[in-house]
Amino acid sequence: MEALALRLSGLDPYVDGAIRIVAFYDTLMRRRVDLPALARASAGLAECVTGIRLHGTGRTVRVSPLGTEATTEPLPASTTAPITLDDEEIGAVWLERPGPPNALDDILLDRLALAVAAAVERYGPARTTMADPALVELAVADGTDEAARARALRLLGFAAGRPVHVVAVRAELPLGRVGALVSPSGLVKAAPLDDVGVLLTAEPVDPGRFPPGVRAGLAAADRPDRSWRRARTALRFTTPRAPVVHHANLGALALLAEVPPEAARTNPDVAALARVAGTPEDLATLDAYCATGSLRRAADLLHLHHSSVSRRLEHLGKALSLDLTDPTGLTRARLALAVWRLLEGRGD
């Protein structure tokens, strides 16, 4: 192998440089160096400021080519690479090269990311959010034997007898990243179950920590299986205006999720709303009015003149056979909208 590497390096200066970088990091990993040492060595090799950041702890290391802590104002990263551990992105490494990237910068960062992942796994904090889906499913499934459930929770790191909070998630972001953001310092485990992601946390989750574009249903009950059912129900009630919903805040609205689908579809109010929903402008107007209960506030949300909203609501009232200015009519419209969304399996 060494003879082949030597022959290749003689053929191409780029290959020679790449082989030297690989050998450099192999040596560092054999010596089991820690994160600061990796950053110092990398900054010296790259001859520019080098950074390491771990998402879970928020820890950031920036080192100058002299091997000291970088105190200058950070430059935009010229090259970046993710740090991956157990198929989860746990951080990032980057170079702050003042000029254009070097041809070997990608290889350097790739090897640095591998070395950082090895160091994190060895020295900690090695906490990752992604968990074995089979264990998570055992923990939240309806039919799990309680002894098996307790064992699954123990293997996931949760203390016996302590409450477990459950979140049902739909997001374009990686599930592990969502878990790290909503519970940056506490125990959190995540796994995909069917078409929904599940987060298990040891502490209550702050709804404000969810990043934009994430829909989440929160729940906390006496057992994880009950919490999971309630979290999935809460997820069904999310909308662009309310992307995070706690089951406890649904109150009697949660009962709508238990209405048989066929009975819901044949309800005159729901059937009429399903016809109206085919026109996005009408649906948006009704949603804004149901959310605010005020023509002028709905107009503000829609960025329309109140007279335009008034005309739309008059048209909608006729289509739904409801007087939307009457409290009873407005309540029926709100219920019909909620039931329609549950039937459609959507919150938009």
Side-chain angles (χ1 to χ4, degrees):
M1 188 68 181
E2 291 180 1
L4 175 61
L6 184 61
R7 288 175 61 192
L8 289 173
S9 66
L11 293 174
D12 189 337
Y14 176 85
V15 174
D16 180 50
I19 290 173
R20 292 178 187 277
I21 289 173
V22 171
F24 178 82
Y25 282 101
D26 283 350
T27 300
L28 292 177
M29 292 170 72
R30 282 198 301 271
R31 291 178 179 174
R32 299 174 179 266
V33 300
D34 57 12
L35 295 187
L38 280 171
R40 288 194 299 270
S42 300
L45 179 64
E47 298 183 335
C48 68
V49 172
T50 300
I52 300 172
R53 179 182 298 111
L54 298 179
H55 297 322
T57 62
R59 181 184 181 188
T60 297
V61 179
R62 288 180 68 245
V63 177
S64 75
L66 299 177
T68 58
E69 180 182 353
T71 57
T72 57
E73 189 71 20
L75 294 175
S78 56
T79 315
T80 64
I83 305 166
T84 304
L85 180 62
D86 295 337
D87 296 323
E88 177 189 343
E89 185 180 323
I90 63 168
V93 292
W94 69 93
L95 299 178
E96 298 176 21
R97 194 177 293 286
N102 187 291
L104 293 168
D105 283 354
D106 284 332
I107 294 176
L108 187 153
L109 284 184
D110 180 64
R111 301 305 297 183
L112 173 57
L114 288 173
V116 170
V120 167
E121 190 170 32
R122 183 179 304 117
Y123 297 115
R127 179 180 66 85
T128 59
T129 58
M130 295 306 293
D132 181 351
L135 278 180
V136 174
E137 187 169 13
L138 270 177
V140 301
D142 284 332
T144 302
D145 174 82
E146 288 309 305
R149 192 190 314 280
R151 180 176 180 275
L153 289 170
R154 186 171 65 253
L155 291 173
L156 289 167
F158 293 94
R162 298 293 301 275
V164 177
H165 301 264
V166 182
V167 184
V169 174
R170 281 199 176 94
E172 293 183 3
L173 282 175
L175 190 56
R177 181 75 176 122
V178 176
L181 287 171
V182 302
S183 185
S185 58
L187 175 62
V188 56
K189 293 296 179 182
L193 293 185
D194 299 323
D195 63 336
V196 180
V198 55
L199 302 179
L200 303 179
T201 70
E203 301 294 335
V205 174
D206 179 359
R209 286 190 172 275
F210 286 93
V214 173
R215 298 288 186 91
L218 282 59
D222 56 338
R223 290 180 6 187
D225 54 330
R226 293 194 181 112
S227 291
W228 177 231
R229 285 199 304 274
R230 294 176 184 179
R232 283 181 298 169
T233 296
L235 179 64
R236 295 175 64 193
F237 281 91
T238 59
T239 69
R241 226 179 298 282
V244 181
V245 173
H246 200 298
H247 186 274
N249 295 331
L250 289 174
L253 285 175
L255 295 173
L256 295 177
E258 301 179 19
V259 175
E262 191 54 39
R265 285 192 183 91
T266 56
N267 178 272
D269 287 352
V270 177
L273 192 139
R275 292 190 293 271
V276 167
T279 305
E281 294 82 1
D282 287 346
L283 183 61
T285 302
L286 183 64
D287 175 58
Y289 184 64
C290 286
T292 62
S294 162
L295 188 153
R296 291 188 178 275
R297 280 186 288 167
D300 289 340
L301 282 177
L302 295 167
H303 305 292
L304 294 172
H305 193 274
H306 64 86
S307 61
S308 298
V309 175
S310 177
R311 286 193 297 271
R312 286 190 185 182
L313 289 175
E314 183 179 357
H315 163 72
L316 284 167
K318 292 177 181 177
L320 297 172
S321 299
L322 293 174
D323 180 0
L324 296 176
T325 63
D326 177 73
T328 300
L330 179 58
T331 298
R332 286 173 58 183
R334 285 170 170 163
L335 289 173
L337 184 59
V339 172
W340 175 78
R341 282 180 167 141
L342 289 172
L343 288 172
E344 294 294 305
R346 57 197 284 176
D348 53 357

